[in-house]
Amino acid sequence: MIYIQRKLHFLFLIQSPEEGFDTRQTNKKEAEVLPSNTPPGERTWCPILRKRLCIEIHFQGTHECRFARPLAESLLLAVADLLFCPDFTSLWTPPTQESVEDMHPPPLNYIHDLNRMELLRLLLTCFSEAMYLPPSSDHSVLNPWVTFFCSTENRHALPLFTSLLNVVFAYDPVGYGIPYNHLMFSDYREQLVEQAVQTLIVTLEHEGGATRLPSTGPDNLFVNYLSRIHREEDYDFILKGLARLLTNPLTQTYLPNSTKKIQFHQELLVLFWKLCDFNKKFLFFVLKSSDVLDVLVPILFYLNDARADQSRVGLMHIGVFILLLLSGERNFGVRLNKPYSVHVPMDIPVFTGTHADLLIVVFHKIITSGHQRLQPLYDCLLTIIVNVSPYLKSLSMVAANKLLHLLEAFSTSWFLFSASQNHHLVFFLLEAFNNIIQYQFDGNCNLVYAIIRKRNLFHQLANLPSDASSIQKALQRKKKSPDVISRTSSQETISMEGSRPAVPAEPGTLKASLVAIPGIEKLTEKSQVSEDGTMVSIPKMDSPQKPLADQSTVTGTSDTESNSGRDTEVLSWRSKLPLQTIMRLLQVLVPQVEKICIDKGLTDESEILKFLQHGTLVGLLPVPHPILIRKYQANAGTAMWFRTYMWGVVYLRNVDPPIWYDTDVRLFEIQRM
């Protein structure tokens, strides 16, 4: 426990406000314990905490107590008491006969907020034992500091939990909206909110969605309280506060840099994940209205902005995981049909369409211009598109062309043969096309027209060679074109006005390493949508899956594979390509489009689109296949990833003062770009 003692000593000497508790009444011997060079302000709360601990230590030293409380527990209880100490961290008010409805929140107090912030920082230091343990998927070993603090031993558990939620979701960084107010006045409240959200995500660590007792709930009281929130007013307060904070960095004004921009959006995304994981009613509340789009747009903004920055690969993962979780619900796909009119400046082509178009265009941008470490996320990105595809009523021409460009890139023979898992990307795209054709044909003339224009892609897939000589020739072409995606044929247009291109991390930027995440088969479970709209789980067949963090998932190392084994594998998956629906569509519509173009001499695609818009394929397509949804499922691998990512964020966000600097952190590695 040397590391915790070292940091506790450090935190005891952190400068605190010069006002607060009147230390004149403090025992002189206790005051003399402080170093002689300690500023007066640092004597405000250290003696109080020390006195509380000294009483515990003295009590434990007596012979009357054989089962004394450990010092660590005494420390946590002392901090909990101090967080609700009148005139120190809370405002003392005399008891009144006011009803709950007549009561008003107390006014903000600068001194109290600074004291709270230092106490929360001390709690984070106590909880950081997880940093000093190597990554492990064993969830039977819980953090003893968090376990005790969130147990019934802490009489302040409920008021502290609700206070932390209120502090975070009631915070408005813009305030009255006065331009440049953040440059004239320091916002001490932001630091408290940041410490509060970090404390929340750390204390809410629990095996989500796994072994929970249905009656009593989890032993962690914070998780228990969170799972029991049920009032719609509370859900609305949380969702609106979260959307306000996530959208803050996207705010655009006529005056440059005139509004304050918060920096703790990663912690907010982790907290949103835990809210949806532990409280399914909150997840359904988020999805039952278009308010979910207020969370979607900032997530897509962060993904697009961080795609070229390797120091923010964790942010890319958490954003994709949240979208994967949301895409498993039908309401999310339905909400995506709402027109996109916000127009947040992003480095993407200008388009007119829905939020579904925005999602597809951003995903295309990530795949075509993101760095190489994002390749393991390709499966997740396309799985999200597949999950929402049965509900997309009208894709724009821009989004349709982006999907066809992805198919063109992933269906090149050298890419398909270069790794055993690469053909999954083609399967995902074909499944998305089939879903739209079978269930949303009427409004998707743009996609149908794009498929007709790129019909050669589907004919090439249907006639894909599988003999050894053809595979070898295709792999030879890989040396001439090392890029996975062709950047030149994506038909890029002018980006949105006011947008900034995504840039790599600046030299010297710190980043925390991450553990590998499981393959898409372990990340999700397949569910089939029945006729009454309910989900029916499909039993999972065991198949070996490599972690997504393994670069061979996309780039491949097939030179070591035997030719005969590769030939058999290619022949196996080629025969399963779901091309029947698309080939039937081409068989029916291509002659009709060619005929109308010749008869009327059409050269304008708008006339062809009008023809396709009024066309029908009823009775001509194969029997509609059941809708297959891949829902996120919790597992040990992702739980370990979240723990590593969460503590990496906490570490990097607390470098001033450097609480954990130059200590034996083993959960992750701090690397410099």
Side-chain angles (χ1 to χ4, degrees), residues 340 343 348-355 357-359 361 396 398-399 496:
Y340 176 65
H343 296 302
I348 57 175
V350 178
F351 70 93
T352 301
T354 65
H355 285 78
D357 298 311
L358 174 67
L359 182 139
V361 170
S396 67
V398 174
M496 292 183 176

Side-chain angles (χ1 to χ4, degrees), residues 476-492:
Q476 291 297 325
R477 299 193 201 107
K478 177 183 177 181
K479 299 178 181 178
K480 300 179 182 179
S481 56
D483 284 344
V484 175
I485 301 294
S486 171
R487 269 70 169 173
T488 58
S489 61
S490 59
Q491 301 178 354
E492 288 294 342

Side-chain angles (χ1 to χ4, degrees), residues 288-302:
K288 80 174 186 178
S289 69
S290 296
D291 290 341
V292 65
L293 303 178
D294 296 334
V295 177
L296 170 69
V297 173
I299 289 177
L300 292 178
F301 173 85
Y302 295 134

Side-chain angles (χ1 to χ4, degrees), residues 265-266 302-317 366 369-374 377 500-512 514 652 671-673:
H265 48 272
Q266 294 190 82
Y302 295 134
L303 292 179
N304 183 68
D305 186 60
R307 69 181 189 272
D309 188 347
Q310 293 197 32
S311 68
R312 292 193 283 173
V313 66
L315 171 61
M316 298 292 297
H317 279 74
I366 293 171
S369 61
H371 55 78
Q372 295 294 315
R373 291 187 64 193
L374 297 182
L377 288 177
R500 299 177 304 169
V503 294
E506 295 182 1
T509 303
L510 297 178
K511 68 171 184 177
L514 295 168
L652 294 176
Q671 304 163 346
R672 192 176 295 274
M673 299 293 294

Side-chain angles (χ1 to χ4, degrees), residues 333-354:
V334 174
R335 302 304 168 202
L336 290 178
N337 291 307
K338 183 179 180 180
Y340 176 65
S341 57
V342 181
H343 296 302
V344 174
M346 299 188 206
D347 183 26
I348 57 175
V350 178
F351 70 93
T352 301
T354 65

Side-chain angles (χ1 to χ4, degrees), residues 577-602:
L577 284 169
L579 289 168
Q580 296 84 358
T581 300
I582 297 176
M583 298 306 287
R584 181 58 179 162
L585 177 145
L586 295 175
Q587 183 183 359
V588 173
L589 291 183
V590 169
Q592 295 181 13
V593 172
E594 291 178 343
K595 184 176 185 301
I596 193 175
C597 289
I598 295 174
D599 293 347
K600 296 186 178 182
L602 297 180

Side-chain angles (χ1 to χ4, degrees), residues 10-11 14 121 654-660:
F10 173 76
L11 280 175
I14 288 180
R121 188 173 291 159
N654 287 275
V655 294
D656 185 21
I659 300 176
W660 298 282

